Structures are given as structure tokens and as C-alpha cells.
Amino acid sequence: MPKKLVKNRLGRLRQFAGAGLRMGADMALGREGAGAEKAAEILGNLRGVATKVGQMAGYIDGVIPEEQREAYEKWMQTLLDQAPSSDPEQVRRQVREQLGRPLDEAFAEFDETPVASASIGQVHRAVLPDGRVVAVKVQHPGIDEAMRNDLANSAMVEQTFRLFAGSKFESKRIAEEIRQRFAEELDYALEARRQREIRALHLGDPAIRIPELVDSHCAAKVLTMEWAEGLDFSEAAAAPEALRRQWAEAMWRFAYKSVLIGGQFNADPHPGNYKFHRDGRVTFLDHGCVQEADQAHRDAGAATHRAACLGDVPAFEAAAREMLGLRGGVFERAAMDYLHEAFRPQLQSPYRIERHYVAGLAKRFKDIFQVARTCTDDSYVPFEEGVFFLNRLQFGFYSVLARLDVEVDYAQVELQFL
């Protein structure tokens, strides 16, 4: 039976803090995840930002210390596979109110048991009156109030930031970015627009599939789209190497063509957002958390990527320097060291992304904040808007690819569209 969603700000903060204390105690005392099961239960039942924190802890390498990683992955995996679902009667009411018609009029069939449930919504299999099989994404009833209370709690937002930066450095500005992106995920109309744009960008690529929306059955809190069959991530990770390579190539092309050509990147690349097909295709789901980039940033990013893919290190460093607005000194050396590591898949292509590499990359990113805090010259340059989510994409995406465990010529994949 689904647990009642706690919506009030104080109650959510109290429960979130309890989960944090359990996780913190494990890490401080070096315990092997003694509080992991309970923390996962709390974060899952809270949904919203809390579930997102648990999901990131469950799959992004470098977030949880090595000695606790196995235990936390085990329990946080439950949040990736199936977060707690909402009450069926509330879901029926939500769909009926959003679509403005009875459920049996809108759908010939509607399976009340969700096939997936995540931090903000859950997905149901349904059949339209014309016989088309569709996926109906329904926002958890009450999650908008709960999520806004989460985003008003600076402690919850800063915990998300600390997973990556390891400190509160620049936390006020970056916390505001987190609030903005996560709040946008409540806007299904915005998600629908972005899904159409991203689908149009990749239309014609035989390996990339983005489901088509059914406009007549979409609303502010309900999205209906064509149904996507396919393997889940755990099945994909066990597939033959040649197939895993095809999938990794398609995923890389989708991620970086979306950023560098389309100016949009999906900043929530967790494993549940993919369906894998045995013909080498990948279906990309969930376009709610998207960071947009203007033309100037796209051009600077494309120049940096192109130089890396061509193995032109001087051009790569010059483009990266311009992209980040670096001005020499201690901070530039630290930032450049990180960028060389982050672009290793292109600079050293073909490359096999492995979990220890991703964990080391996350540590280097955290180290940049320490350099910025302690450097005595005036070389520090604040990160521009979007860097937090770009790195969330990178660490999360790399962590997913590391589990596919395959060598890919990533430079060649990028040069096909650059």
C-alpha cells in the first residue's frame, strides 16, 4: 500500500535530515552502510528532491565512499528500479481532472499498476481508443507542493550540491540553479516542448529513438506518448560486447549532439531513463531536467570538443581557456588538469570508461573548489551558470557508461556530427 506523501515543509525536512544523519554516521564511522536500507526507505517515500538525492547516491561513482559503496548501491538501487508509487484512486482523479474527461473515455485500457515510478511521477501502460499502446506519465498527486517545499529548504538543496562539490562554495548561486531546474520538472508542458525539440534534432538517426507525444492526451501534469519496449539497464549491462558498444555510441551521440548542436542537454541521465534494443537502438525517456545553452556557449563547447577529438592539445587548451574564461595562475592550472582528465575519452580515443576513472574525476572536480578557496592570486574565475548540471550530466552519464564496460571510439562518434 503506498505511503501517504508528506507535503509540509517541516515534516519533509525532519525526515530528510534523518536520512542524512544515517548516511553521515555510516561515512564518519566507516560502517559498511548500516543505515542504507532505512535511508533509502525514507528518501523514497519523500519522493521529490529527496528521492533524487538517493538516486544520485546510488549510481554516480565518487559520491559514496568506497567502503560504503556496495551497501548503498544495493539499497539506493531500489529508488532507481521503482520508487514508491502513489495511491491508485488519487492517480485516477489526477488523470481525469487533467484530461477533462473520464478515464474510460480517454483510454480503452489503463493499467492502474505503474510500470515505473520515480521522484516526480509514475508511468502507466494504456491503450488509446484507436488501439495505439501508450505510456502515460502521471505526476504524483501533491508532489508539486512537496517539491516546492523541498526547494525552499536550503538544507535539502545544499545537500544535493555537496554530493558533487564537497562544500558550500558558491552554494547560494548554484543552489538557485538547482531550484530552477528541479522546479521546471514539475512543468510537464515545458517537458513536452523540449521532448519535441530533442526528437526533431535526432530524427533520422537510426540508433536514437525518442517517443512521439500524443498531444490530445497531454496536460500540465499528464504526458502521454508512444509505448517503448526494450531491455532495462541491468539487462543491457549483461549483453554481448558488440551490442553494448553500439548502445554506448548511440548514447554518446545523443548526449553531446543534444548539447553542442541543439543547445539542450538532459541533466538527469540515470539508468532508468533508457530502453535498449537488440538491433543497437536506444530509446531515451524523460526530458524534464534539461539545461539550455545559448549559441556562444555551444560554439565554445564545440571548438573544445572538436580539438579534443582531433588530438590537437594546444587547440584544445586554447578553446577550453576561452570557454571557461580562464586567466592563468593557480586556478587555471587546476581547471586545465581537470579538463584534460574529463576529456580523456576523446583525447585518448578509443577509450574504455571505467568506474574508478569516474570516481577519480568526481574527486578532481571537488578539488577545484578547494583550490579556489586557498589560492592567493587573482586567478579564480567563478563557474558560469549551468556548470553544476553539466557536471551532473558528465558524472552521471560516465557512471552509466562505466557499467556498460566497453571500449568505444568516442572521438569518431563526435566527429560524425561536429
Side-chain angles (χ1 to χ4, degrees):
M1 184 73 182
K3 286 197 174 183
K4 185 176 179 181
L5 177 65
V6 177
K7 292 184 282 187
N8 74 81
R9 181 173 173 176
L10 184 59
R12 293 182 65 78
L13 182 58
R14 186 184 297 117
Q15 290 195 28
F16 183 78
L21 286 172
R22 285 178 168 85
M23 295 171 72
D26 281 351
M27 294 172 202
L29 299 175
R31 299 190 308 220
E32 294 184 3
E37 180 180 3
K38 187 61 179 176
E41 179 186 352
I42 293 170
L43 296 175
N45 287 326
L46 282 172
R47 305 188 193 105
V49 172
T51 299
K52 288 183 178 298
V53 169
Q55 289 173 336
M56 288 187 285
Y59 79 93
I60 298 181
D61 295 308
V63 170
I64 299 295
E66 187 66 28
E67 56 270 22
Q68 285 97 22
R69 182 167 58 80
E70 184 175 349
Y72 272 90
E73 281 196 359
K74 172 187 174 183
W75 291 108
M76 296 303 167
Q77 183 67 36
T78 62
L79 302 182
L80 292 171
D81 293 340
Q82 188 81 338
S85 58
S86 292
D87 177 71
E89 178 54 40
Q90 291 183 330
V91 170
R92 285 195 297 271
R93 187 184 308 120
Q94 179 93 296
V95 176
R96 185 173 62 248
E97 291 175 353
Q98 288 292 305
L99 299 185
R101 58 195 128 156
L103 208 66
D104 59 0
E105 182 182 313
F107 302 99
E109 297 176 26
F110 186 90
D111 189 346
E112 293 189 347
T113 302
V115 295
S117 182
S119 55
I120 292 176
Q122 60 189 50
V123 178
H124 296 259
R125 185 184 185 278
V127 179
L128 296 177
D130 64 9
R132 282 180 291 169
V133 181
V134 292
V136 184
K137 182 177 176 180
V138 184
Q139 201 167 108
H140 293 304
I143 194 64
D144 50 351
E145 179 186 345
M147 189 83 161
R148 290 189 175 98
N149 281 330
D150 285 352
L151 298 177
N153 280 323
S154 60
M156 294 186 79
V157 177
E158 288 179 354
Q159 175 64 28
T160 307
F161 174 62
R162 285 197 295 270
L163 283 174
F164 294 88
S167 73
K168 293 185 180 181
F169 195 77
E170 288 195 302
S171 62
K172 184 176 181 180
R173 181 178 63 80
I174 295 178
E176 186 52 42
E177 282 186 45
I178 294 171
R179 288 188 184 93
Q180 185 177 344
R181 290 289 85 76
F182 285 175
E184 286 177 355
E185 292 192 59
L186 294 168
D187 186 350
Y188 278 10
L190 177 61
E191 179 175 346
R193 175 177 69 77
R194 287 170 168 167
Q195 183 164 332
R196 292 186 193 99
E197 291 172 352
I198 293 173
R199 186 173 188 273
L201 176 67
H202 296 284
L203 208 59
D205 189 318
I208 294 175
R209 180 172 179 265
I210 292 118
E212 184 176 8
L213 291 164
V214 180
D215 293 341
S216 60
H217 288 63
C218 292
K221 297 180 180 180
V222 173
L223 286 180
T224 301
M225 64 198 76
E226 59 181 327
W227 180 259
E229 291 285 357
L231 304 177
D232 63 25
F233 187 71
S234 60
E235 293 172 316
E241 183 176 359
L243 198 48
R244 283 183 281 128
R245 181 174 294 108
Q246 285 181 271
W247 291 331
E249 289 173 352
M251 291 164 70
W252 193 274
R253 190 162 60 254
F254 171 81
Y256 289 107
K257 184 177 179 181
S258 295
V259 179
L260 301 172
I261 306 301
Q264 299 192 70
F265 61 87
N266 190 318
D268 188 14
H270 85 67
N273 289 345
Y274 307 96
K275 286 292 183 182
F276 300 88
H277 308 277
R278 294 197 179 277
D279 59 3
R281 292 178 303 144
V282 181
T283 296
F284 297 85
L285 308 170
D286 198 330
H287 305 276
C289 188
V290 172
Q291 176 79 37
E292 297 183 354
D294 59 29
Q295 191 62 53
H297 285 92
R298 276 185 256 176
D299 291 344
T304 306
H305 276 257
R306 187 181 297 108
C309 291
L310 294 172
D312 187 340
V313 174
F316 165 72
E317 292 184 345
R321 195 173 290 114
E322 182 176 346
M323 179 176 67
L324 296 181
L326 299 174
R327 54 192 186 202
V330 174
F331 186 75
E332 178 175 309
R333 289 195 293 274
M336 201 62 72
D337 178 61
Y338 168 74
L339 286 173
H340 270 274
E341 191 70 8
F343 277 82
R344 198 195 293 182
Q346 296 99 320
L347 289 165
Q348 299 182 19
S349 191
Y351 191 78
R352 182 186 297 268
I353 294 176
E354 297 176 310
R355 298 181 66 177
H356 67 84
Y357 160 70
V358 185
L361 186 62
K363 182 181 182 304
R364 283 175 183 255
F365 183 66
K366 293 177 183 180
D367 288 346
I368 292 177
F369 289 86
Q370 183 63 27
V371 170
R373 185 184 295 106
T374 58
C375 67
T376 56
D377 60 14
D378 64 349
S379 62
Y380 171 66
V381 177
F383 288 126
E384 292 192 356
E385 182 180 351
V387 168
F388 170 83
F389 279 94
L390 182 58
N391 282 280
R392 183 191 179 200
L393 164 70
Q394 191 157 49
F395 301 146
F397 183 48
Y398 280 14
S399 293
V400 169
L401 290 175
R403 286 158 174 80
L404 289 181
D405 189 27
V406 64
E407 185 178 79
V408 175
D409 191 344
Y410 291 115
Q412 189 56 42
V413 172
E414 284 195 29
L415 289 173
Q416 290 171 1
F417 64 81
L418 286 176

